[in-house]
Amino acid sequence: MIYSTTETIPGREIAEIVGVVTGNVVQAKHIGKDIMAGLKSIVGGEIHGYTEMLTEARDIAIQRLVQNAHDQGADAVVGIRFTTSTIMDGSSEIMVFGTAVKLKP
């Protein structure tokens, strides 16, 4: 499945718009990562545990977006965007959304 932040797929023509598709995941912080983050905030720098956690969450959200598009018979998803929100203290949602399309052969 092709997915892109652009509105078109280079070299391909969109034949039909299938509709909006989404993928999301809610990720909670891990107490061990919180302790390390607290220590890291004293000296500064990247908090690798959180970076890894958010990268994994983003990848899961993309997989769910692609599955949603596939289930609707799409060939590609264009115009994808990411958004985040706090669900409750200690957890966040990463959502990806875009437009599922069918491409001309």
Side-chain angles (χ1 to χ4, degrees), residues 50-95:
Y50 284 167
T51 300
E52 291 169 4
M53 179 183 73
L54 291 173
T55 298
E56 179 184 345
R58 186 184 62 238
D59 291 345
I60 291 168
I62 290 171
Q63 289 172 5
R64 292 177 180 174
L65 169 93
V66 168
Q67 186 63 53
N68 189 337
H70 182 267
D71 291 348
Q72 295 185 42
D75 300 316
V77 181
V78 295
I80 67 169
R81 302 290 184 264
F82 292 89
T83 184
T84 62
S85 61
T86 301
I87 300 299
M88 60 184 216
D89 190 37
S91 68
S92 296
E93 176 190 41
I94 295 182
M95 175 178 272

Side-chain angles (χ1 to χ4, degrees), residues 26-48:
V26 175
Q27 191 79 31
K29 293 190 283 186
H30 180 281
I31 189 68
K33 290 180 182 176
D34 273 353
I35 292 169
M36 294 306 294
L39 295 173
K40 190 68 167 184
S41 68
I42 295 170
V43 297
E46 180 179 1
I47 303 170
H48 292 283

